[in-house]
Amino acid sequence: MKLQLPPWVRPRAAIGLLAACVVLAIIPLFHDDVYTHNLLTLTFLGIAAALAWNWLGGYLGQVSFGHAAMFGVGGFVAAQAQLGLRMPMLLSWVFGGLVAGLFSLIWGHPTLRLRGPYFSIATIGVGEATRLVCTYWDWFTGGSSGLSLPMQTNLKYQLYWYGIVLAALTLAASYALRRSPVGLSLLAIKSDVDAASDVGVGATRLQDLVLFLSGVTIGICGAFYASYFSYIEPGDMFGFDRSISWVLMGVIGGIGTIFGPALGAIIFVLLRQYLIASYPQLYLGLYGLLLVLVILFEPLGLTGLFLRAVRKARPDLGVSSAAAED
Amino acid sequence: MSQVLRGERLTKTFGGLRANDNVSIALEQGQILGLIGPNGAGKSTCFAMLAGSMPPTSGRIFVGDTEVTGLPGFRIARAGVVRTHQIVQPFANLTLLENCMVAAKQCSGRGDTGCRELARETLQFVGLDKRRHEYPGGLTLAGRKKLEMARALSCVPKALLLDEVIAGVNPVEAREMVALIRRIRDERKISILMTEHVMAAVMSLCEHVVVLEAGKQIASGSPKEVVQNQAVVEAYLGKKHA
Amino acid sequence: MERFAELLIAAVLLAGLYATMAYGLGLIYGVLRIVNLNHGGMIMAGAYAGWYLHAALGLDPYLSLVLVAGAAYLVGIATYRVLVRRLPRGPAGGVQSLLLLFGVWLILRNAAYLLFTGNDQTLRTSYSTLAVGIGSALVSVNRIAVFGVAIVILIVLHLLLTRTYVGKAIRAVAQNPDSCTLVGIPVERIYALTFGLGTALAAAAGLLGSTLFPFNPGFGAAELLKSFVVVVLGGLGSVAGTAIAALILAVVEVFAILVIPAYLTAAVGFVLLVLVLVFRPGGLFGQRVLG
């Protein structure tokens, strides 16, 4: 059976992703460091979430400061589905994700019409309002006490491989959204949404689609998180700090690029683990500083630095516009 | 002769202001139609309604025999009516080629290679092919206007709506533009509706001219007829000079 | 009925604070077209500054107000000169300025954590618990004082913008910066000055707020959103427009207590914000001119 790849997929990229997945999947066979194992799981989760955030914030240029709203909805819906409806775990993830996606459309469809800062401010409002309301709805979230899922032996350990799949799928989706014909339309919308409509781009529908995909994915991440910790509470799930973390991962890693946010996520998770022991609050300020530096000096963040280095080392190499856009 | 684009009794009100009052306008197949009038006459509003950028308060719009009243702009573009912008709006983060490819992908119905070919061809047509991998920021104003035209042409439209393309460029570039517009109609068989302030261009290009004033149509005819029309002269120069 | 009067008075007094707070944000947006996401950070900084001066030096907050506002003014100017000025102006710079100022806010939050811990603080003076009777309602002296100071600030602002050369220059730049350079107005200086002024207003509002509410380094997010509600509702209009919008927000919030628990009233503001943005981005009064 011959696998037919779409023309815009570079075979090397697909092979590279597959190889990375295989390598990561078999690493646990060679060590029994549970701490690192779990850290990697959380890193995969961070990668998936940051990439999903980037579809809206980077590809479309609509920076959301309230994505935790979908994370929480996904998590609590999945948890309730497992508790109340006895749904199997994976199905509850999908269910939670879909509900989160629908939720994102409800608040997002009208607000996506807003441009630039107005949309971002609205997302802060949405995020915080969702947090407060869901905390109030203790039938849904258990109030400030939160929800506990029954502990399953070994689940946390096994989630490592689920994490690989989640991160890989999200990365593939990021690649597809950017390099397929849709990617050009998204860039056009980001540049000038009215002009895009004037040349036939169905801007509203495309934006809604990207928002929905982003919401669903973040929702699934929330469900994953719930299964991982077996306990979730609204203050943490819907928290502003959580929303901020994805903004930071995306921007510092490289907003609008395919891989940048994943890079940002890796560094963010690792740095936070390292700093949280000795300087629990420092990482947020450090990231604030990085954010300021990125905006002032290198809008494409770490990816931008990497590309600059590549160009210096190999000036003859034509860097693909698809990877370095905007 | 069939009508490519037709607006029937178009009216647009903004609160208390009636920007367009029962304006009927028709673009015939193969025609270059001029829409003129003094400032504030409602040309831009009429133009926007015909292009689908703005829904009319009342009235109907047809592309050929199909009614398109109230459809969102992108559907009008896909139906074959594409506009350019008075203040150029290129996709700044895309190359010239990519600018045209966006349009080609949405409207032309071709596959990836076909769109790329079409985009190159339209850029060649306006003389920008050599710079197709550059970004719009590196172009002069005239260049960006030509880019918009190439982008619009990449939609393979039946009707091209030009929004003051001649204004703002120097006389040499203006002559190029006029020649280009004529070629678009002659070689590509695209009907053209243009709003314009530069009268010389209107006189030399348009076979038919519609004049608006204060939201109403006050004259319609060949450029010669319209220029001699009493009401038109009054509208532009005031009653004393008529 | 008594309850109604009590709530109404509370709303009016609160509105004063909200108006002052919002005006700082609106000023910066109206003139520089930048959304100052560090607004919340400066509100928080003002609160901590006032609290610290009181705790360490025994300075009464209403006296240290001038000091704190003055320092914040300088901080605002510095922020503009060092950071904001480097960004491209206009829609292209929109998201970037948002993120830049957000980064500054994060830094400030972190600094507050390091210096003061994350615990709630309150600014208690000797007269914090005093209350007077207004009609049948018992009103805290603090709230009246805050209201009074807020009114003074707003009047001074109004006079500044309408009667002084600087004020007129600011309004001119808000309308048309290019023409201003033609008539000799130093636009960059006005930008810096306005940013400083907006920052000072935020810090002043924060200090005033610290006498009323407990605060911690996370203070400011809700206040940012409320400021935005007021700015968007009132249009970028006159001080009067801001005042009315602030009153509307305060009334809605205060009376919402009758139906929902106290902590949820903030959500009311947020929902209001999203609704206003979606349905009436021009504000209830649709004004776009400063004055």
Side-chain angles (χ1 to χ4, degrees), chain A residues 62-108:
Chain A
Q62 298 275 47
V63 173
S64 162
F65 285 95
H67 252 48
M70 279 82 75
F71 188 83
V73 166
F76 281 104
V77 166
Q80 290 286 13
Q82 288 179 39
L83 288 171
L85 302 175
R86 308 284 173 144
M87 230 188 243
M89 185 183 78
L90 274 183
L91 188 60
S92 77
W93 287 8
V94 174
F95 182 57
L98 285 174
V99 174
L102 278 171
F103 173 62
S104 70
L105 278 179
I106 292 176
W107 67 261

Side-chain angles (χ1 to χ4, degrees), chain C residues 169-235:
Chain C
I170 291 177
R171 283 158 56 208
V173 171
Q175 288 184 41
N176 194 332
D178 294 323
S179 304
C180 287
T181 55
L182 293 177
V183 297
I185 295 179
V187 173
E188 277 296 310
R189 272 220 233 139
I190 296 289
Y191 282 155
L193 195 150
T194 310
F195 205 89
L197 197 55
T199 308
L201 282 169
L207 191 153
L208 291 174
S210 76
T211 63
L212 300 179
F213 313 114
F215 58 92
N216 59 44
F219 191 61
E223 286 63 32
L224 170 72
L225 288 174
K226 292 179 194 183
S227 304
F228 216 70
V229 174
V230 173
V231 169
V232 174
L233 260 183

Side-chain angles (χ1 to χ4, degrees), chain B residues 27-193:
Chain B
L27 178 65
E28 308 280 345
Q29 170 77 44
Q31 188 183 51
I32 299 184
L33 175 68
L35 179 61
I36 65 173
N39 276 329
K43 304 189 298 296
S44 316
T45 311
C46 182
F47 187 94
M49 286 194 283
L50 288 171
S53 307
M54 192 188 286
T57 311
S58 71
R60 305 164 80 188
I61 304 173
F62 294 83
V63 174
D65 293 320
T66 326
E67 178 161 5
V68 295
T69 320
L71 285 185
F74 78 92
R75 291 224 183 273
I76 308 262
R78 291 188 196 175
V81 174
V82 185
R83 65 168 292 174
T84 64
H85 304 89
Q86 181 176 347
I87 303 176
V88 282
Q89 293 176 233
F91 299 129
N93 55 349
L94 299 179
T95 63
L96 302 199
L97 186 66
E98 287 167 340
N99 263 266
C100 294
M101 279 180 68
V102 174
K105 289 214 159 110
Q106 295 306 318
C107 304
S108 70
R110 303 190 190 184
D112 194 57
T113 340
C115 286
R116 196 172 282 264
E117 280 168 10
L118 176 58
R120 274 205 71 169
E121 193 268 310
T122 55
L123 282 173
Q124 246 167 4
F125 188 82
V126 303
L128 286 173
D129 181 55
K130 289 236 166 45
R131 310 183 66 173
R132 66 187 182 282
H133 290 305
E134 291 176 30
Y135 289 89
L139 296 175
T140 60
L141 179 62
R144 272 177 266 148
K145 287 191 180 233
K146 285 192 205 159
L147 170 64
E148 276 224 12
M149 284 166 67
R151 189 173 71 186
L153 289 177
S154 301
C155 281
V156 195
K158 300 180 189 134
L160 181 61
L161 271 47
L162 299 173
D163 196 351
E164 302 203 24
V165 280
I166 315 278
V169 299
N170 68 48
V172 173
E173 292 162 338
R175 273 199 291 277
E176 274 178 32
M177 287 288 197
V178 168
L180 188 58
I181 294 172
R182 201 173 279 124
R183 276 178 58 213
I184 290 176
R185 192 272 306 271
D186 295 342
E187 292 174 31
R188 302 181 86 96
K189 309 287 185 236
I190 296 175
S191 319
I192 297 177
L193 186 151

Side-chain angles (χ1 to χ4, degrees), chain A residues 7 42 48 57 74-75 80 114 163 168-169 182 185 198 275 314:
Chain A
L42 285 176
Q80 290 286 13
L114 302 170
L169 284 176
V182 168
S185 302
D198 287 334
L275 287 174
R314 296 273 300 275

